[in-house]
Amino acid sequence: VQLQASGGGLVQTGGSLRLSCAASGSIFSVNDMGWYRQAPGKQRELVAKITSGGSTTYADSVQGRFTISRDNIKRTVYLQMNSLKPEDTAVYYCNVMARIGYYSAIYDYWGQGTKVTVSS
């Protein structure tokens, strides 16, 4: 299973970015999909996640500014980031929990990371 993330970049405070992450490979089914981020010198933290049924969870720091969504046909998860702040600067990682077969356990997969920089 491979995850290909895109959409990071440099943006000014108050700007917007949209991250995408597509899962490919031998996937039987996709469960939760999510985004995490890691700022320099800090631990990786959950930004947002979405279940296969569409239920969402957000970190308090992004609630109301970020929106996570998914396209189950394309096996892609999106993160729309609005009203960006300098403290949102980090490397963003997509995460997918998926089965590779009918009797398979659920495995945890990570994308390569995409850098988001918000200038003040």
Side-chain angles (χ1 to χ4, degrees), residues 13-95:
T13 296
S16 297
L17 284 174
R18 188 190 193 212
L19 306 183
S20 300
C21 177
S24 62
S26 300
I27 300 171
F28 177 77
S29 65
V30 177
N31 291 61
D32 291 2
M33 306 179 85
W35 290 94
Y36 290 72
R37 68 186 179 187
Q38 188 167 19
K42 295 188 177 182
Q43 290 188 330
R44 189 174 298 189
E45 63 176 359
L46 172 69
V47 176
K49 63 179 180 180
I50 183 168
T51 67
S52 56
S55 296
T56 57
T57 301
Y58 293 95
D60 289 344
S61 59
V62 308
Q63 184 77 43
R65 299 188 297 122
F66 291 9
T67 302
I68 190 170
S69 60
R70 61 189 283 170
D71 183 325
N72 290 327
I73 302 298
K74 295 181 179 179
R75 292 174 174 168
T76 299
V77 61
Y78 305 97
L79 186 68
Q80 178 66 43
M81 305 185 293
N82 298 329
S83 303
L84 282 161
K85 304 175 181 180
E87 50 264 44
D88 295 318
T89 295
V91 177
Y92 284 70
Y93 298 90
C94 61
N95 171 257

